[in-house]
Amino acid sequence: MAFPSPAQDYMTSCIDLNKELVLHPAATFYGRVVSNAMSREGVDKGDVLVIDRSLDPEEGSLAVCFIDGEFALRRISGDDAGNVGDMRIWGVVTYVIKKV
């Protein structure tokens, strides 16, 4: 005989992360952080980024940038809000998903 779990009383319907986290599906990508270079910003190796390419970067935005042929994560300052030098802003990070 099987008994229902008491946790079922507290469960809601499934959470669809794409519906919760993605505003522009055609322009949104996921990426995994491969280094601890931005750990001082709270972004650690293994974290998953939700990146929206349709958003314009603003001062203070966390962005995925293309610099000298490689992708890098950068906090945008007022001077960076456009594309500066060899740095191209590829997309704006809207969420950081952490593994616990």
Side-chain angles (χ1 to χ4, degrees), residues 62-84:
L62 190 60
V64 174
C65 302
F66 197 66
I67 305 169
D68 297 327
E70 294 185 5
F71 286 104
L73 200 54
R74 294 287 184 265
R75 181 73 62 189
I76 302 302
S77 68
D79 296 335
D80 298 327
N83 293 321
V84 178

Side-chain angles (χ1 to χ4, degrees), residues 30-82:
Y30 295 92
R32 187 173 307 277
V33 179
V34 296
S35 78
N36 281 316
M38 292 295 285
S39 61
R40 70 187 183 290
E41 295 283 339
V43 181
D44 301 305
K45 184 177 181 179
D47 290 351
V48 174
L49 306 176
V50 181
I51 308 156
D52 190 330
R53 295 200 66 200
S54 70
L55 298 177
D56 291 326
E58 298 177 0
E59 185 163 351
S61 295
L62 190 60
V64 174
C65 302
F66 197 66
I67 305 169
D68 297 327
E70 294 185 5
F71 286 104
L73 200 54
R74 294 287 184 265
R75 181 73 62 189
I76 302 302
S77 68
D79 296 335
D80 298 327

